[in-house]
Amino acid sequence: MLDVLAYLFQVFYHADGMPDVPKLASELADAGFEDDEIGEALAWLDDLGKVDLEPYAALAGRHLPRQLHPDEESLLSADALRYWHGLNHADALDAAEREMVLDRVREAAPVGTGLERLKRLVLLAIWHKRHDHAALLIEDILFGRENATLH
């Protein structure tokens, strides 16, 4: 699914909006994506449209230190935990984005969160931002992967 999101980022990130769902699904199919990948990406876009930023508004733009609680750490795979610590070390997320991601990690409990899911959650938290820092992080997540496909 991250390949579909990479395609959407390349084509639509700086556009005023996305085409309607049937047209987008058709365009993604024409670009060579599989139906299951398209379905996951459309579900992700639907989740993106439902993100409520209000509970995090007071933390937006603030970079406050935050340690993971052991219960939160236990919800992340070893790879996801390393990635999380890298994000924090680089100060890549502000406090609002970080809490939004962690809320979704906790919602997935007790299943746990692997690296790819964590990256999708980070994308949910930052996709709506239209500044260079967010675009760089999005590009790193989508294109900095082994075997990433560029369409």
Side-chain angles (χ1 to χ4, degrees):
M1 182 192 75
L2 289 178
D3 288 335
V4 178
L5 295 179
Y7 176 83
L8 294 175
F9 177 77
Q10 286 179 312
V11 175
F12 296 109
Y13 185 73
H14 295 289
D16 288 335
M18 298 274 208
D20 60 23
V21 172
K23 183 177 179 181
L24 181 58
S26 176
E27 184 172 333
L28 291 170
D30 291 345
F33 293 107
E34 301 291 326
D35 288 342
D36 59 331
E37 289 180 306
I38 294 170
E40 286 179 33
L42 293 177
W44 183 89
L45 287 171
D46 186 53
D47 287 346
L48 179 65
K50 295 176 185 173
V51 170
D52 181 10
L53 301 175
E54 184 61 32
Y56 310 99
L59 296 172
R62 299 182 68 194
H63 292 270
L64 305 169
R66 164 80 152 74
Q67 294 292 323
L68 290 178
H69 186 276
D71 290 343
E72 293 170 327
E73 282 186 358
S74 71
L75 296 173
L76 297 171
S77 71
D79 287 343
L81 191 55
R82 277 191 294 280
Y83 183 75
W84 181 258
H85 288 305
L87 288 174
N88 283 327
H89 181 72
D91 206 19
L93 302 175
D94 70 19
E97 295 159 347
R98 187 179 56 223
E99 293 307 316
M100 184 184 306
V101 171
L102 289 174
D103 283 348
R104 281 160 180 74
V105 166
R106 286 187 295 271
E107 287 172 9
V111 174
T113 298
L115 180 58
E116 186 167 323
R117 176 165 165 57
L118 179 60
K119 287 181 176 184
R120 289 192 314 251
L121 294 174
V122 170
L123 287 173
L124 266 179
I126 64 172
W127 190 276
H128 64 279
K129 297 203 171 187
R130 297 288 192 248
H131 57 71
D132 291 341
H133 178 75
L136 288 172
L137 182 54
I138 292 169
E139 286 177 8
D140 183 60
I141 291 170
L142 296 176
F143 303 110
R145 301 174 289 125
E146 272 187 44
N147 304 320
T149 303
L150 300 179
H151 284 259

